Amino acid sequence: MIRSAAINNLPVLMDIEHRCFLRDQFSEALYTGFLLRPDCEVYLYHLAGKQPIGSMVLLFPAEMAACHVISVAVLPEHQGHGFGQELMAWAEARALAKQCRQLQLEVRRNNRRARAIYEALDYKRIRVLKDYYGKGVDGILYIKSLPECPAL
């Protein structure tokens, strides 16, 4: 089950962050900012009756008709069971609900597992982002176009 996170979930979000990312971890201050931004949505992925096993941060910049997937994290012991794909499906549903035309994200060039998931979900590799994650650590920009929603 995917639920909205709130400021009182900050300790859980930080635990997931530290357990999932060995480098480039978001700080508590940055996560607090995400939780307080009106154009940002933060989610926790819960298994029934258990502690959260994953998180996701989505940004909906007013100047773009796009959803920027800032972060997707699934605890290492729960990876490989489709939870990341479920989070990405949730991101797509939220983007469609907000009438976004596309989703975009960045991923480390050497993160083959995540890249394979995104490519299987029809994300298109747009370009290499030189030194995006620091000197000598390139990123890749991926974009997925969404079907146009009829005007309401």
Side-chain angles (χ1 to χ4, degrees):
M1 178 180 307
I2 299 170
R3 295 183 182 157
S4 291
I7 200 73
N8 64 322
N9 298 121
L10 191 56
V12 173
L13 289 162
M14 294 310 301
D15 180 58
I16 292 169
E17 184 73 14
H18 291 295
R19 290 173 61 193
C20 289
F21 303 106
L22 302 177
R23 299 174 297 261
D24 306 319
Q25 296 172 348
F26 290 159
S27 67
E28 192 169 304
L30 188 56
Y31 248 112
T32 299
F34 290 147
L35 289 162
L36 297 176
R37 282 182 70 150
D39 61 348
C40 199
E41 297 179 1
V42 181
Y43 295 97
L44 287 167
Y45 190 111
H46 295 260
L47 291 180
K50 302 199 187 256
Q51 283 289 97
I53 62 156
S55 63
M56 181 170 52
V57 179
L58 304 176
L59 180 65
F60 298 93
E63 68 277 1
M64 296 174 57
C67 170
H68 189 162
V69 181
I70 301 291
S71 179
V72 177
V74 175
L75 292 175
E77 63 269 25
H78 294 283
Q79 292 176 5
H81 301 287
F83 301 125
Q85 289 96 327
E86 286 184 47
L87 283 165
M88 292 307 295
W90 182 266
E92 189 170 326
R94 292 299 304 138
L96 285 168
K98 290 184 167 274
Q99 297 183 338
C100 292
R101 304 292 301 274
Q102 63 182 210
L103 289 107
Q104 70 178 47
L105 57 88
E106 300 83 20
V107 64
R108 281 177 174 267
R109 188 177 197 172
N110 64 355
N111 189 341
R112 296 186 197 291
R113 187 177 196 173
R115 289 177 50 204
I117 291 169
Y118 301 139
E119 289 169 13
L121 294 171
D122 294 325
Y123 282 78
K124 304 298 179 219
R125 178 181 164 152
I126 301 302
R127 69 177 174 271
V128 173
L129 305 167
K130 185 93 173 113
D131 298 328
Y132 187 79
Y133 291 97
K135 182 100 172 118
V137 186
D138 296 341
I140 297 177
L141 172 65
Y142 280 93
I143 290 180
K144 179 175 184 175
S145 295
L146 298 173
E148 192 167 335
C149 298
L152 300 177

